[in-house]
């Protein structure tokens, strides 16, 4: 079977790309290693920034795919228990982001693709891209019945995440990789605690904490912890005590905790995001800290950049967009990495109680204060939160 584009991976990147191509009349097949249920239930990101939302509008998919509540207008940043509020959409000139939990986004993208007649194959094992250095790439895989298949194609989109096969298939020496460990761990718990009025981040000498709504009756809490420590062993009473201290809220009631995870803050970028006719998209090419909520948005913008480049290449025979794909996406990737690191440093350093961190702590608090006192600084922050145009 020959198809113009084979997409490896059905996460946000692969599914967005599949829909953009389908809307443009370019044929593609999506190969996903896991089963449908796993993909549809995976909970990770939850914010589509204003710019990424506009990309879905451009393809007539906004209503079906990202319809949902605009994100709360205010962000609360509490410093040692004292609340301060930032109005992102106002500061960015009216560009609100949207709350779209990843599992809803993914389900809607699957539905839209299948309703349009899309070919999405779950449970594809041993997926391998081949011959992408030439102009006749192939992808082989085994279906759930154990039958081996081969697809020939013009282009391969590697949308298979950080641990996928695509990046690993690039010949040795072609990629330069950058890895950074921020030295910060987060313990995240899902609890039956009423949602906060506004998304809340708290800076304190006890460490960073945050609380975000997960529906009206549930919250996801985040607590900074020392790397190496395993907070999944913390007694729940200790978790609640820490949250009360860090959020500066003595009355925060204990609630049932249903999910416990540990996130170590790491960043990664692979350059270039292409090898011949294999393109790396989303987490396959880069991972970023959760600060600023840019991981999924980067994946969606990569998908958009690749889709528009593939459309002109396949339809018009013009591959200038494909030649520029990596540079275009890397520019944005590094811009967002810088923002995410800046944000991470600001909220973690400003609570660091270590004596040798006293100077950095003051700097971070000044940086934080500037967001509220300088309209230009507030607007620059809000601009990044809204997402910057390609
Ligand atoms: N073959 C086929 N599919 C694969 C393979 C493989 N060898 N390896 C991984 N996959 C699939 C995974 O099962 C997953 O469904 O590829 C998909 C990759 O999805 P993600 O890891 O979510 O990556 P991406 O689509 O780039 O989205 C990245 O979304 O979750 C948010 O913020 C998060 O930064 C992240 C962003």
């Amino acid at each position: 079977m020959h198809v113009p584009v084979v997409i490896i991976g059905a996460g946000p990147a692969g599914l967005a790309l599949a829909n953009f191509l389908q809307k443009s009349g370019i044929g593609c097949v999506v190969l996903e290693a896991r089963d449908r249920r796993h993909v549809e239930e995976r909970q990770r990101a939850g914010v589509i920034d204003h710019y990424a939302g506009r990309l879905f509008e451009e393809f007539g998919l906004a209503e079906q795919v990202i319809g949902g509540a605009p994100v709360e207008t205010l962000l609360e940043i509490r410093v040692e228990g004292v609340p301060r509020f930032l109005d992102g959409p106002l500061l960015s000139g009216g560009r609100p982001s949207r709350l779209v939990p990843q599992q809803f986004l993914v389900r809607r993208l699957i539905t839209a693709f299948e309703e349009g007649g899309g070919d999405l194959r779950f449970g594809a094992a041993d997926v391998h891209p081949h011959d992408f250095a030439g102009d006749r790439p192939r992808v082989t895989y085994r279906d759930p019945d154990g039958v081996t298949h081969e697809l020939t194609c013009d282009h391969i989109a590697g949308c298979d995440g950080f641990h996928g096969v695509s990046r690993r298939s690039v010949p040795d020496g072609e990629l330069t990789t950058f890895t950074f460990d921020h030295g910060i761990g987060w313990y995240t718990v899902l609890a039956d605690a009423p949602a906060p009025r506004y998304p809340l981040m708290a800076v304190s000498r006890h460490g960073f904490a945050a609380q975000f709504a997960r529906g009206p009756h549930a919250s996801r809490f985040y607590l900074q912890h020392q790397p190496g420590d395993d907070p999944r062993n913390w007694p729940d009473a200790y978790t609640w005590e820490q949250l009360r201290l860090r959020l500066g809220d003595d009355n925060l009631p204990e609630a049932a905790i249903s999910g416990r995870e540990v996130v170590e803050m790491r960043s990664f970028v692979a350059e270039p995001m292409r090898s011949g006719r294999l393109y790396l998209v989303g987490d396959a090419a880069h991972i970023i800290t959760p600060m600023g909520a840019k991981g999924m948005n980067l994946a969606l913008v990569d998908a958009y950049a690749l889709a528009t480049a593939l459309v002109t290449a396949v339809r018009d025979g013009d591959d200038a967009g494909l030649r520029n794909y990596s540079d275009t996406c890397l520019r944005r990737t590094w811009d967002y990495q810088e923002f995410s690191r800046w944000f991470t440093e600001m909220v973690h350093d400003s609570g660091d109680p270590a004596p040798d961190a006293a100077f950095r702590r003051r700097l971070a608090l000044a940086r934080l204060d500037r967001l509220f006192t300088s309209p230009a600084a507030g607007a620059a922050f809000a601009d990044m939160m809204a997402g910057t145009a390609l």
Side-chain angles (χ1 to χ4, degrees), residues 206-390:
H206 303 280
F208 175 77
Q211 182 184 5
F212 300 118
R214 285 293 176 265
H217 307 298
S219 292
R220 186 171 278 286
F221 292 94
Y222 296 82
L223 298 102
Q224 178 185 1
H225 71 90
Q226 291 304 321
D229 173 22
D230 191 348
R232 282 169 296 197
N233 300 326
W234 289 1
D236 288 353
Y238 179 74
T239 302
W240 289 107
E241 182 191 312
Q242 281 297 311
L243 283 169
R244 282 187 207 106
L245 282 171
R246 297 174 188 209
L247 300 177
D249 180 355
D250 293 342
N251 300 319
L252 186 73
E254 278 190 32
I257 291 178
S258 57
R260 298 170 173 78
E261 275 173 56
V262 169
V263 184
E264 303 292 348
M265 295 238 194
R266 290 206 183 88
S267 299
F268 172 85
V269 180
E271 294 187 351
M273 289 170 57
R274 141 174 214 185
S275 171
R277 289 176 174 243
L278 169 69
Y279 308 90
L280 302 178
V281 187
D283 274 19
H286 41 67
I287 55 171
I288 189 165
T289 80
M291 289 303 303
K294 289 302 182 197
M296 186 162 80
N297 291 296
L298 269 179
L300 297 175
V301 184
D302 286 354
Y304 171 84
L306 185 58
T308 49
L310 284 169
V311 171
T312 39
V314 174
R315 203 169 53 193
D316 313 329
D318 172 2
D319 65 358
L322 288 176
R323 284 197 307 273
N324 292 334
Y325 166 74
S326 174
D327 286 350
T328 304
C329 292
L330 283 170
R331 208 189 123 264
R332 161 181 302 267
T333 299
W334 283 112
D335 190 25
Y336 281 14
Q337 291 282 7
E338 193 286 325
F339 173 60
S340 181
R341 171 68 190 160
W342 172 92
F343 202 170
T344 302
E345 248 177 19
M346 179 172 69
V347 297
H348 292 88
D349 282 2
S350 53
D352 194 335
D356 63 346
F359 188 77
R360 270 192 296 116
R361 179 161 191 268
R362 293 290 175 152
L363 294 183
L365 284 165
R367 194 188 276 184
L368 190 54
D369 186 56
R370 192 186 302 128
L371 294 182
F372 298 91
T373 53
S374 155
F381 174 77
D383 188 48
M384 292 304 288
M385 291 301 285
T388 50
L390 263 182

Side-chain angles (χ1 to χ4, degrees), residues 7-15 31-35 38-39 42-46 102 105-106 121-122 124-128 141 158-166 168 281-288 290 293-300 302:
I7 299 174
I8 305 177
L15 291 168
L31 300 176
E32 165 58 47
R34 308 300 295 254
D35 62 20
H38 176 90
V39 173
R42 192 164 38 202
Q43 296 194 26
R44 280 163 82 193
Q102 176 165 330
L105 174 75
V106 161
R121 306 180 188 182
F122 291 100
D126 282 339
V127 175
H128 283 291
Y141 74 97
C159 306
D160 46 355
F162 184 66
H163 300 287
V165 67
S166 298
R168 280 188 279 120
V281 187
D283 274 19
H286 41 67
I287 55 171
I288 189 165
K294 289 302 182 197
M296 186 162 80
N297 291 296
L298 269 179
L300 297 175
D302 286 354

